[in-house]
Amino acid sequence: MAPTAERATFVVVANRLPVDRYAGADGREEWRTSPGGLVAALEPVLVANSGTWVGWSGAPDEKCEPFDADGMHLVPVTLSTDDVSDYYEGFSNATLWPLYHDVTAPPAFERRWWEAYHEVNRRFAAAAGEEAAEDAVVWVQDYQLQLVPALLRAERPDLRIGFFNHIPFPGYELYSRLPWRTQVVEGLLGADLIGFQRRDDASNFLRAARMLTGATTRGSVIETAPENGRSGRRLRAAPFPISIDTAGLEQLSRQPEVVARAAELRSELGNPGTILLGVDRLDYTKGILHRLRAYGELLDDGELGPPGTVLVQVASPSRERVEEYQNLRDEVELIVGRINGDHSSVGNPAIHYLHQSFPKEEMAALYLLADVMLVTPLRDGMNLVAKEYVACHHDLRGALVLSEFTGAADELRQAYLVNPYDIDGTKEAILAAVGASPSEQSRRMRPMRRRVIESDVHHWANAFLGALDMVTSN
Ligand code: G6P
């Protein structure tokens, strides 16, 4: 596997390719850059570095040749129907996802899923190794690919390997339930730099590495255990909180079409005094049920209600073949139906529930028109929706209700912070946010905006890649 000149000096490896398929004007299939945090974060870095992105197309059994889209070179990895159900829906999203989100749903531990996870990680590592030039930087993304760093290093010790975990890393008491806990930590220790969202995630990982592998740590520096008479390798594990393309989103929210669309939506909603907004993937970690419970009680209490106040809840479809997600959809739709049944009148629903995904222009219009944004996850690595809301509010209007259990809460300290399990506390925060005066709104919004403007996604990528460079040039 000798590297050649045409190979890339910068390679991103992620479960998904950063594009979605759609039918073009002449009926031919075309690819469009997909919306979503990870893609928004990495596309500009990749385009600037003429890099290659290795990932899955999102459909089972699809064998496509590498192709170029929006200035990125994309290399598809094929997943069979069994891989999708065992590696993606199984180990990634029914074992790791709930375990890493503090067991907000019970994780399932299936040995067959682990085998598939290992095998698919091996395939991603092989594809990345094929693409990477000598001494290239390879940046591996997220919990679906935790074994890739060590698998890749075994084949290509010349590479500089970074790993970023977009989701939380749990405390040892929870993490140690994983039957393959040592293999996963060893997989990650193949990297030169492991990035986490929060300081707590990094220290949870450092502890797991000490407990399970005999590695020693000093601050963020890890020294792996000596092996076969050779001393251990040095690497780092540290927080690098991810962000958004703040300037790009602010610019979008200033476009006349977006401003006009926000006004149109407000009038379609019946020009209510207060519009509350929730925007989430339909995922049990997002605390949608807790939020609806709090909102429903405020309506029962007569504190809020249509037509003066409405809630718009966008719940974009996600992982729909995984049972927990199907159950959640049923529960959410039951409670939305109940609240609407009790509190709506003809033409004035209490909740506008949209189980759909929208283009970013429509999302910007929704953020603009929302007087109060509700972000109430039970656990979330970062939560970019909270940052997107702040980025759109250059008018310094609006109020953000934000769960303490998100990475974003470490940074957006002026939000109305809530413990989403505390329904009374959440109700009080919602009422305070609804009642905030314009001067109170701007007093809170201004420092939050400063934060997302200074710490945007370019800052994040540069900080991570700069730190990777430091580790590997020592
Ligand atoms: C989270 C994860 C990402 C993932 C995204 C969408 O943000 O951290 O890795 O891509 O959810 O989930 P999906 O399963 O549709 O890729």
Side-chain angles (χ1 to χ4, degrees):
M1 221 206 285
T4 63
E6 313 88 69
R7 291 178 172 176
T9 55
F10 182 65
V11 179
V12 169
V13 193
N15 177 54
R16 282 184 188 274
L17 285 172
V19 284
D20 292 322
R21 202 190 320 259
Y22 74 105
D26 55 359
R28 277 190 319 147
E29 261 188 3
E30 291 183 34
W31 297 91
R32 187 167 24 212
T33 308
S34 33
L38 178 59
V39 179
L42 292 179
E43 185 193 351
V45 190
L46 210 84
V47 171
N49 289 281
S50 320
T52 290
W53 186 308
V54 175
W56 170 47
S57 71
D61 295 313
E62 194 173 50
K63 295 187 180 66
C64 337
E65 290 303 311
F67 60 101
D68 291 341
D70 289 336
M72 298 181 282
H73 185 59
L74 309 183
V75 175
V77 171
T78 304
L79 296 187
S80 68
T81 305
D82 283 350
D83 293 333
V84 173
S85 83
D86 295 346
Y87 148 80
Y88 169 69
E89 290 160 355
F91 201 77
S92 296
N93 290 317
T95 305
L96 294 173
W97 181 268
L99 180 69
Y100 280 31
H101 286 86
D102 285 357
V103 197
T104 37
F109 301 113
E110 292 281 344
R111 282 166 281 188
R112 195 183 74 244
W113 294 354
W114 162 252
E115 300 295 330
Y117 184 79
H118 191 271
E119 159 56 24
V120 171
N121 271 244
R122 203 197 45 72
R123 208 175 304 153
F124 274 85
E130 287 286 326
E131 292 304 317
E134 182 117 38
D135 297 326
V137 168
V138 179
W139 195 357
V140 184
Q141 306 292 325
D142 229 356
Y143 64 101
Q144 303 93 342
L145 299 176
Q146 292 173 102
L147 306 182
V148 168
L151 291 167
L152 191 54
R153 181 166 301 282
E155 291 296 315
R156 292 288 306 275
D158 59 299
L159 298 177
R160 291 176 288 160
I161 304 172
F163 180 93
F164 187 77
N165 197 53
H166 291 253
I167 70 172
F169 195 89
Y172 189 69
E173 295 72 19
L174 292 179
Y175 179 72
S176 57
R177 295 183 192 180
L178 183 67
W180 309 278
R181 59 199 186 184
T182 308
Q183 292 97 311
V184 168
V185 168
E186 284 172 349
L188 290 168
L189 289 176
D192 294 295
L193 177 65
I194 310 173
F196 294 94
Q197 301 282 24
R198 300 174 313 146
R199 193 169 298 283
D200 286 354
D201 300 320
S203 45
N204 288 342
F205 174 75
L206 289 164
R207 174 147 189 250
R210 287 194 301 270
M211 299 291 283
L212 297 168
T213 70
T216 53
T217 65
R218 237 184 75 206
S220 64
V221 176
I222 306 177
E223 182 149 346
T224 60
E227 226 181 315
N228 307 328
R230 280 196 312 197
S231 54
R233 281 181 50 247
R234 276 196 171 197
L235 66 144
R236 272 188 73 206
F240 294 88
I242 200 170
S243 193
I244 55 168
D245 177 13
T246 312
L249 189 57
E250 172 163 348
Q251 213 174 25
L252 184 67
S253 73
R254 287 180 188 272
Q255 279 181 9
E257 305 79 42
V258 171
V259 175
R261 177 68 183 143
E264 184 181 41
L265 280 167
R266 184 171 276 278
S267 115
E268 280 170 3
L269 289 168
N271 285 315
T274 307
I275 298 170
L276 298 106
L277 176 66
V279 172
D280 310 86
R281 270 186 315 103
L282 187 47
D283 192 299
Y284 49 82
T285 59
K286 302 292 182 185
I288 301 171
L289 291 171
H290 296 67
R291 177 187 317 163
L292 291 174
R293 211 162 289 145
Y295 184 63
E297 285 192 19
L298 287 168
L299 302 188
D300 292 341
D301 302 344
E303 300 270 14
L304 298 176
T309 314
V310 299
L311 170 62
V312 178
Q313 175 65 56
V314 176
S316 49
S318 187
R319 305 175 191 165
E320 290 184 281
R321 282 159 38 105
V322 180
E323 195 183 340
E324 286 290 341
Y325 289 76
Q326 295 166 355
N327 296 340
L328 174 73
R329 181 172 180 190
D330 288 345
E331 286 179 70
V332 165
E333 295 183 356
L334 182 76
I335 179 164
V336 168
R338 279 207 182 138
I339 294 174
N340 273 340
D342 287 344
H343 296 285
S344 305
S345 58
V346 173
N348 292 307
I351 304 177
H352 294 255
Y353 168 73
L354 303 160
H355 182 244
Q356 297 161 48
S357 301
F358 294 99
K360 56 184 194 286
E361 292 76 12
E362 186 78 352
M363 293 314 302
L366 282 167
Y367 289 138
L368 259 187
L369 82 111
D371 302 294
V372 176
M373 182 81 215
L374 303 177
V375 180
T376 59
L378 306 178
R379 176 56 79 198
D380 207 334
M382 173 51 63
N383 197 287
L384 296 177
V385 164
K387 293 187 172 180
E388 287 171 358
Y389 179 69
V390 169
C392 288
H393 277 275
H394 45 82
D395 58 2
L396 302 182
R397 289 287 164 272
L400 173 64
V401 175
L402 179 62
S403 162
E404 300 168 19
F405 307 133
T406 61
D410 283 4
E411 298 179 71
L412 306 177
R413 303 302 301 167
Q414 297 77 14
Y416 293 84
L417 294 175
V418 295
N419 165 3
Y421 292 96
D422 173 6
I423 301 294
D424 286 337
T426 304
K427 286 165 66 181
E428 278 166 30
I430 293 174
L431 284 179
V434 168
S437 65
S439 65
E440 178 65 10
Q441 290 175 13
S442 55
R443 191 183 70 76
R444 288 171 180 263
M445 193 58 86
R446 195 173 280 116
M448 293 200 287
R449 285 184 53 73
R450 201 176 309 128
R451 178 72 189 206
V452 297
I453 289 167
E454 279 165 10
S455 299
D456 67 358
V457 70
H458 308 293
H459 173 90
W460 169 75
N462 289 337
F464 184 92
L465 292 172
L468 178 58
D469 202 41
M470 294 270 284
V471 181
T472 51
S473 54
N474 278 336

